[in-house]
Amino acid sequence: MADDDFDIERLAAYLHLDRAQVARLADRGKLPGRKVQGVWRFAPAEIHQWLESRIGLSGDEELVQMESILRPPADTANDGVPSIAAMMPLEAMAVPLDARTRGSVIQSLVDIAAQTGLLWDPERMTDAVRAREEMHPTALENGVALLHPRRPMPSILGEAFVAFGRTARGIPFGGKVLTDLFFLIASLDDRGHLRTLARLSRLIGDSDLLAELRSAADARSAHELIESTEARLT
């Protein structure tokens, strides 16, 4: 049993739920946990994976609630909702992205991300993203993929950021449809990753934005589209 495991009380506080709700979810097998000497324990990594899967299945209203759940305590720095536009430097955007296969998309997008100076070990990031895609593809049914390592890699990052690339045409990326819009999420910790994922999921739920990104003339135009759409989110 790891020292940083959640018990019922700590997990309830983390998820902004009451103790009885968490206990019921655990008893019904809805939460990834285990009983140790009759006491529920929850590994943080498994809870974060559970939250990530919930984000992928959520609508906008649920994503807003998820952003609230994942917000850090008010006494910590940067406790507001993350801004995808602010996290996405132009140097980390490629329109078009010169890639035609899943492997070349990952490599090219990581190479673009490294140009920011915020990613110190592109090879490790590439390997980690490839391993995550092999485990479970991140391609969605709207032609978007949300690439990321299985766990955050703070030791090779200067700060959290998001990279973006649009290929000239859709390519097979493990989903049911061809994929042409790719985001790379580079996070410093699990909570930050989930908050970024929830915010980005709200953005890509806007079909108008996706259509406009597909016709954007260049990276700057794509960035302006993301920024203006995000400004309308509540």
Side-chain angles (χ1 to χ4, degrees):
M1 181 176 63
D3 292 339
D4 62 347
D5 280 355
F6 292 112
D7 58 15
I8 290 283
E9 299 288 349
R10 287 181 57 215
L11 185 56
Y14 184 78
L15 296 177
H16 296 195
L17 300 173
D18 63 46
R19 185 186 185 284
Q21 287 177 295
V22 173
R24 283 196 299 270
L25 288 170
D27 289 338
R28 294 171 182 172
K30 302 298 185 181
L31 279 173
R34 62 195 58 80
K35 279 191 173 181
V36 179
Q37 297 180 341
V39 178
W40 277 109
R41 307 293 296 187
F42 308 89
E46 293 178 355
I47 291 298
H48 287 122
Q49 289 175 27
W50 174 76
L51 285 168
E52 183 174 307
S53 68
R54 283 194 63 194
I55 289 171
L57 298 173
S58 296
D60 189 71
E61 184 175 340
E62 293 170 302
L63 289 169
V64 172
Q65 181 182 16
M66 191 71 70
E67 286 183 335
S68 176
I69 288 174
L70 295 167
R71 186 168 298 176
D75 59 351
T76 61
N78 191 29
D79 63 346
V81 175
S83 165
I84 299 302
M87 294 177 66
M88 188 181 292
L90 280 175
E91 297 89 343
M93 302 181 69
V95 178
L97 180 70
D98 185 17
R100 298 182 180 180
T101 65
R102 184 171 70 166
S104 63
V105 163
I106 295 171
Q107 185 66 66
S108 297
L109 198 54
V110 170
D111 288 345
I112 293 294
Q115 293 180 9
T116 65
L118 300 174
L119 172 59
W120 303 327
D121 194 334
E123 184 175 353
R124 279 185 61 194
M125 178 62 78
T126 299
D127 290 343
V129 172
R130 282 176 174 161
R132 173 63 177 80
E133 290 296 326
E134 290 296 329
M135 181 180 71
H136 186 75
T138 61
L140 304 173
E141 294 183 11
N142 56 5
V144 179
L146 304 177
L147 285 65
H148 57 83
R150 185 167 181 265
R151 296 295 305 277
M153 305 178 73
S155 64
I156 64 170
L157 298 174
E159 63 183 59
F161 69 97
V162 177
F164 171 76
R166 186 195 73 200
T167 51
R169 58 183 61 84
I171 65 172
F173 209 78
K176 296 180 180 179
V177 301
L178 298 179
T179 306
D180 62 345
L181 301 177
F182 301 90
F183 294 86
L184 172 64
I185 304 172
S187 302
L188 298 176
D189 54 57
D190 287 314
R191 188 192 290 265
H193 168 70
L194 291 169
R195 294 174 73 219
T196 301
L197 183 60
R199 187 68 167 179
L200 188 52
S201 294
R202 292 188 67 194
L203 278 173
I204 65 170
D206 187 326
S207 58
D208 290 338
L209 171 62
L210 299 186
E212 291 171 332
L213 287 175
R214 290 185 167 107
S215 60
D218 51 33
R220 185 174 296 278
S221 298
H223 192 279
E224 290 172 354
L225 287 167
I226 291 169
E227 186 173 31
S228 61
T229 301
E230 189 171 22
R232 297 194 295 270
L233 295 180
T234 57

